[in-house]
Amino acid sequence: YVAVGSSGLLKSSTDGANWTTRTSGTASNLNSVVYGTQFAAGGVGGVIVTSTDAITWTTRTSGTTSTINCLAYGAGVYVAGLAGTSGSVLTSTDAVTWTTRTTSCTTDIYGMTYTGSKFIAAVNGQQYLTSTDGITWSISGLNGPPSGGSYSSVTYGNGQYVAAAASATLYTSTDGGLWTTRTSGTASAINAVAYNSTSGTYYYLGTNVFGTSTNAITWTPLASNQQSGTTSSLYAVVYGNNTYVYGGVGGVTGTST
């Protein structure tokens, strides 16, 4: 597991419970990390660092000074979503050499995932972008999520896309084009969503809240301090090796099975 944060903070763990701080080689805030053929982390100023073992990290040239908000990997391609009004992404087949790609939107790209057949990116302005190769993108969801402002995260599992908005709203879609508003059961901001393919359970987390669903339609919230032991805002969650690992403000991390 790899966690990133402010001022170049980068930690790794083999179990999600015990973490070791690593030297990232940058003082810039790191916003996202992904694993493909190696780890790649990106953040403010277009900084990208990579590692094959999560221990030793190398700075790469991204070709942009725009902030990298999110990273995804699929079909042999790394894709980085950028902040700003360009609506651009970066792509790479090895996480070393990066190429800027234009999309048909002109706003920030906030979250991204790969479904197994295509990338889907959540952007500001109630829009989504989709791509099968990470290079050519089209706008999806122009008539989709009807409200919610800025989108914070998107995931895919069991034939359902699930997207979260900072307004505590959730949206679901079976095709990434037509979206349905769902009641999250919380008034708190939702910062991340994830899917557990083993149990078939969807999860969201945010400001002092967790939520679960088995069908992405009906959601059950639970105060995060009841489940995680912290009242800190939580911003990321990932599932792997039969364990959820989550992280948030102040470097708080935790695990759940």
Side-chain angles (χ1 to χ4, degrees):
Y1 299 95
V2 175
V4 297
S6 300
S7 303
L9 178 67
L10 196 153
K11 295 185 177 185
S12 67
S13 172
T14 57
D15 58 8
N18 300 291
W19 294 83
T20 301
T21 300
R22 306 299 182 182
T23 300
S24 66
T26 180
S28 298
N29 292 352
L30 295 172
N31 297 329
S32 183
V33 62
V34 70
Y35 181 79
T37 55
Q38 63 174 319
F39 292 97
V44 172
V47 64
I48 292 178
V49 295
T50 66
S51 176
T52 57
D53 59 7
I55 298 172
T56 303
W57 293 81
T58 302
T59 301
R60 306 298 182 180
T61 300
S62 68
T64 184
T65 56
S66 297
T67 292
I68 296 171
N69 282 336
C70 54
L71 286 157
Y73 179 84
V77 179
Y78 293 87
V79 181
L82 303 182
T85 58
S86 66
S88 298
V89 301
L90 305 176
T91 64
S92 175
T93 56
D94 58 8
V96 176
T97 303
W98 294 83
T99 302
T100 301
R101 312 287 184 179
T102 58
T103 71
S104 48
C105 82
T106 57
T107 187
D108 301 87
I109 298 175
Y110 283 110
M112 189 182 302
T113 191
Y114 183 72
T115 70
S117 61
K118 63 181 176 181
F119 295 92
I120 182 166
V123 303
N124 196 12
Q126 302 172 18
Q127 297 177 356
Y128 283 78
L129 294 169
T130 60
S131 174
T132 57
D133 59 8
I135 298 171
T136 303
W137 294 81
S138 60
I139 290 180
S140 146
L142 282 172
N143 299 314
S147 62
S150 300
Y151 300 114
S152 54
S153 180
V154 60
T155 193
Y156 178 83
N158 196 28
Q160 288 272 12
Y161 297 91
V162 179
S167 62
T169 306
L170 292 169
Y171 304 97
T172 64
S173 173
T174 57
D175 61 5
L178 180 63
W179 294 80
T180 302
T181 305
R182 305 298 181 185
T183 301
S184 66
T186 180
S188 299
I190 298 173
N191 299 324
V193 287
Y195 178 71
N196 179 342
S197 58
T198 302
S199 66
T201 304
Y202 303 87
Y203 285 75
Y204 70 71
L205 55 78
T207 305
N208 192 27
V209 68
F210 272 84
T212 66
S213 175
T214 56
N215 58 13
I217 297 171
T218 303
W219 293 82
T220 302
L222 178 65
S224 65
N225 62 342
Q226 292 179 259
Q227 191 166 9
S228 67
T230 180
T231 56
S232 297
S233 294
L234 301 174
Y235 283 96
V237 59
V238 66
Y239 180 79
N241 198 26
N242 299 316
T243 302
Y244 285 96
V245 178
Y246 55 84
V249 171
V252 62
T253 59
T255 64
S256 174
T257 55

